[in-house]
Amino acid sequence: MNVPKNYIEVVGESYYFEYPETWFIDITLNIQAAKKGDSILAKSGEYKNKLIKFLIAEGIPEKQLFYAGTGAYTPWWKLKKKDKKGIIISHKVTIRTDDRYKAYKALERAEWLNKKDKRISIQIDERKPIFKAKDKDVLKARESACKNALEKAKNLAASLGMKVGKPLEIQEFAKEYRGSGNYGDEDWGSTTGLRFFASPRRGSDDDDIDNIELKGNERIVYLKYRVAFELIPS
């Protein structure tokens, strides 16, 4: 740009909210071998298929289910044992959905796997959701950031006995985000993501209480624009 002799640069700031649109829920099915020579890999595949069929029967569309792979390991404290009874086979299935409560309800009812075999455990982890902002909120935040820059420039110019002229250049900085606090998208200084193991359900006096479905936390997107204004005598 052709910079005049007198100009001023300021940074205009604003923000807007993005809302979780798609959720990623990883279900890891862990099965431990019972004895030497146990055909655990074949059995684990059967249980994995049963889990997938169960989720579909519970209303999770097949197009929302993805197979994330298989793993096998032995806990370090059992590595020296020759019979390798401690080997664990894992299968991971991912639910990608815009209705996480339907997925939660299905997973709550998946506890029958624990009752079927005590060697089975289900681990559930949530990853960072996909967020989306409303177009009108983004446009409003951009306008707000530019107005913020103009106000700063006017205040600084007035303190120098000058006035602000036309804008000379606008530069957009990379967006910054503050975590939503949802599992998989922690806020600053928060703990790690959701992780629990399904276990046999115990009845309680609160079993008949309706489930309260709250919306997911939004995250904050910060906008910054560097704006150069011409300075003119007042």
Side-chain angles (χ1 to χ4, degrees):
M1 69 175 178
N2 295 322
V3 181
K5 186 175 181 180
N6 295 320
Y7 72 96
I8 185 172
E9 287 186 353
V10 293
V11 175
E13 301 174 88
S14 189
Y15 65 90
Y16 61 90
F17 291 101
E18 288 184 332
Y19 303 89
E21 181 182 56
T22 304
W23 305 87
F24 297 86
I25 304 173
D26 291 326
I27 309 138
T28 304
L29 183 66
N30 299 305
I31 305 178
Q32 185 173 8
K35 59 183 178 180
K36 183 178 180 180
D38 191 358
S39 56
I40 188 66
L41 188 57
K43 288 183 180 179
S44 68
E46 292 175 8
Y47 283 126
K48 179 260 295 180
N49 292 332
K50 288 180 180 179
L51 174 62
I52 293 173
K53 291 178 180 178
F54 174 79
L55 293 173
I56 293 173
E58 287 292 321
I60 306 299
E62 186 173 349
K63 65 181 181 181
Q64 294 182 0
L65 295 172
F66 300 85
Y67 185 50
T70 300
Y73 69 97
T74 301
W76 63 269
W77 61 89
K78 295 185 178 181
L79 286 175
K80 294 182 180 181
K81 294 186 178 182
K82 295 181 180 181
D83 59 9
K84 301 296 183 184
K85 291 181 182 178
I87 189 170
I88 296 175
I89 303 294
S90 298
H91 292 277
K92 183 184 287 187
V93 176
T94 298
I95 301 176
R96 188 185 303 172
T97 180
D98 58 358
D99 187 352
R100 60 174 175 164
Y101 282 105
K102 179 184 286 187
Y104 290 164
K105 290 175 182 177
L107 291 172
E108 287 172 1
R109 289 191 282 269
E111 292 177 345
W112 59 270
L113 280 169
N114 290 77
K115 298 177 181 179
K116 193 172 185 66
D117 195 325
K118 293 182 179 180
R119 298 176 298 160
I120 298 174
S121 66
I122 299 176
Q123 177 179 324
I124 299 173
D125 300 273
E126 286 195 32
R127 286 187 269 152
K128 180 184 291 187
I130 293 177
F131 291 87
K132 187 175 182 180
K134 298 177 182 177
D135 291 339
K136 64 178 182 179
D137 291 343
V138 178
L139 292 175
K140 185 176 180 179
R142 288 173 181 167
E143 293 175 359
S144 177
C146 290
K147 289 179 181 179
N148 178 249
L150 180 58
E151 287 299 318
K152 285 183 180 180
K154 285 181 177 180
N155 291 338
L156 291 172
S159 67
L160 299 172
M162 306 283 282
K163 292 195 301 184
V164 172
K166 62 183 179 180
L168 304 172
E169 184 181 58
I170 299 177
Q171 177 187 359
E172 182 179 24
F173 290 99
K175 298 182 181 67
E176 295 181 359
Y177 301 86
R178 177 163 184 166
S180 63
N182 293 307
Y183 284 119
D185 186 45
E186 276 64 53
D187 198 352
W188 301 320
S190 62
T191 57
T192 56
L194 170 66
R195 179 165 294 181
F196 67 85
F197 294 87
S199 59
R201 184 177 178 181
R202 293 188 177 92
S204 72
D205 294 337
D206 297 329
D207 284 350
D208 295 330
I209 295 178
D210 292 334
N211 186 35
I212 301 174
E213 298 184 359
L214 302 176
K215 67 178 183 179
N217 290 336
E218 67 272 5
R219 71 175 179 179
I220 303 174
V221 183
Y222 296 99
L223 295 181
K224 291 184 180 181
Y225 293 95
R226 183 186 64 81
V227 186
F229 292 96
E230 181 182 16
L231 277 179
I232 56 179
S234 57

